Amino acid sequence: EMSEMSERSKQNVAHGLAWSYYIGYLKIVLPRLKKSMEDVSRTNPNILAHPETWKLHILVPLSCEIYDDLEKADSNIQYLRDLTETILARAGTRKRVYKHSLYTIRDDDKLWHCAVEYATPLQSLYAMSQDECAAFSREDRLEQAKLFYRTLEEILKGSKECAGTYRLIVYEDSGEAKTHFLSREILWHLRQQCHEEYAVYEGNHPHASFTTINSTELNLQISESDLPQPLRSDCF
């Protein structure tokens, strides 16, 4: 009965997605990431000049709208190359391939390079909101996207294997696409990592005009309870 009730009310959607993403993907690839970065840096030292940015930059748009091609999302983001593949036997699939892509992020006066990709479970949340059978509204999607981010953040903070190997970039993109919005979001995080490495940044927050949402703000926008909450049904 409890299982049927949970299924009918669609509880734990984001909570389950976050744990699945961590266990089935991030916990596998993140501990191996820096070695892949080192392999590239050894032969191309100018590409990865900032070791403090040798992390997987995970994009978390709260709208759940994801581009399969980052170059189409922002022309200031250009594919450079793939990192060294990780090949493992996984759940019956022999030689399953895990890999990440390096991108060049164009700044006004320089080029940055980093590994960046979307949090793929957000595609599921978006697809659910487009499928009548799921009865999943846009408001539900936003609420669950926030819960996904907060849950994933808490999981990764407690993971010793993944410490120092990732950077979550959460943002609330408006319906009106701004020119080079995404590249500016990524660039802010890249610069901030350099500041964190070499100096404590002082003064006004340079990112104040952007729309990045931090964990504290998310805590104010969703339930104060740490437990997963059922989705609302009052809009149907």
Side-chain angles (χ1 to χ4, degrees):
E1 287 183 17
M2 292 297 295
S3 177
E4 290 179 359
M5 289 173 61
S6 179
E7 184 177 352
R8 283 196 300 269
S9 61
K10 301 179 182 66
Q11 290 179 338
N12 304 335
V13 174
H15 187 264
L17 286 175
W19 272 104
S20 177
Y21 185 47
Y22 169 69
I23 295 293
Y25 180 63
L26 295 181
K27 192 176 181 180
I28 298 170
V29 301
L30 289 182
R32 298 171 169 84
L33 183 68
K34 286 199 174 180
K35 183 181 182 305
S36 296
M37 293 285 196
E38 289 169 358
D39 292 342
V40 173
S41 179
R42 201 173 296 118
T43 55
N44 302 275
N46 294 329
I47 291 180
L48 296 172
H50 303 284
E52 60 274 10
T53 65
W54 291 7
K55 303 172 183 177
L56 183 60
H57 296 78
I58 304 171
L59 303 176
V60 186
L62 295 181
S63 68
C64 298
E65 296 185 22
I66 290 176
Y67 287 83
D68 291 326
D69 188 344
L70 281 172
E71 295 174 340
K72 292 182 179 178
D74 191 321
S75 60
N76 276 356
I77 303 173
Q78 296 293 319
Y79 169 79
L80 180 63
R81 57 169 294 173
D82 289 332
L83 293 176
T84 306
E85 297 177 346
T86 295
I87 302 176
L88 301 171
R90 187 74 176 168
T93 300
R94 301 183 65 182
K95 298 183 178 180
R96 176 165 289 181
V97 177
Y98 299 87
K99 67 179 181 180
H100 310 287
S101 296
L102 275 179
Y103 286 88
T104 299
I105 315 297
R106 183 175 297 278
D107 201 349
D108 291 335
D109 56 353
K110 66 182 294 185
L111 299 177
W112 296 74
H113 303 93
C114 68
V116 58
E117 61 189 50
Y118 285 101
T120 51
L122 296 179
Q123 286 183 313
S124 297
L125 289 178
Y126 187 84
M128 287 177 67
S129 69
Q130 302 298 306
D131 193 319
E132 293 183 1
C133 296
F136 198 80
S137 73
R138 183 175 299 181
E139 291 76 15
D140 293 331
R141 185 180 73 198
L142 177 59
E143 183 179 338
Q144 291 298 295
K146 292 174 183 176
L147 180 57
F148 170 83
Y149 167 71
R150 197 178 75 172
T151 304
L152 182 62
E153 183 184 43
E154 291 175 353
I155 294 170
L156 287 171
K157 280 182 178 179
S159 173
K160 294 180 180 179
E161 302 98 320
C162 299
T165 63
Y166 67 92
R167 184 86 171 190
L168 296 179
I169 303 179
V170 60
Y171 57 94
E172 188 168 18
D173 45 343
S174 61
E176 298 179 2
K178 298 180 181 178
T179 304
H180 305 310
F181 170 83
L182 186 55
S183 61
R184 294 206 315 272
E185 290 288 327
I186 298 171
L187 283 169
W188 184 85
H189 281 269
L190 293 174
R191 296 190 194 103
Q192 189 70 6
Q193 288 170 84
C194 292
H195 284 307
E196 290 168 357
E197 181 71 15
Y198 298 113
V200 176
Y201 185 82
E202 296 180 355
N204 292 330
H205 197 301
H207 199 56
S209 62
F210 296 172
T211 55
T212 297
I213 308 299
N214 61 37
S215 180
T216 302
E217 289 171 331
L218 286 176
N219 287 341
L220 296 176
Q221 295 177 37
I222 62 178
S223 171
E224 296 180 355
S225 172
D226 288 333
L227 297 176
Q229 300 296 313
L231 299 183
R232 298 187 302 274
S233 59
D234 51 45
C235 52
F236 300 108

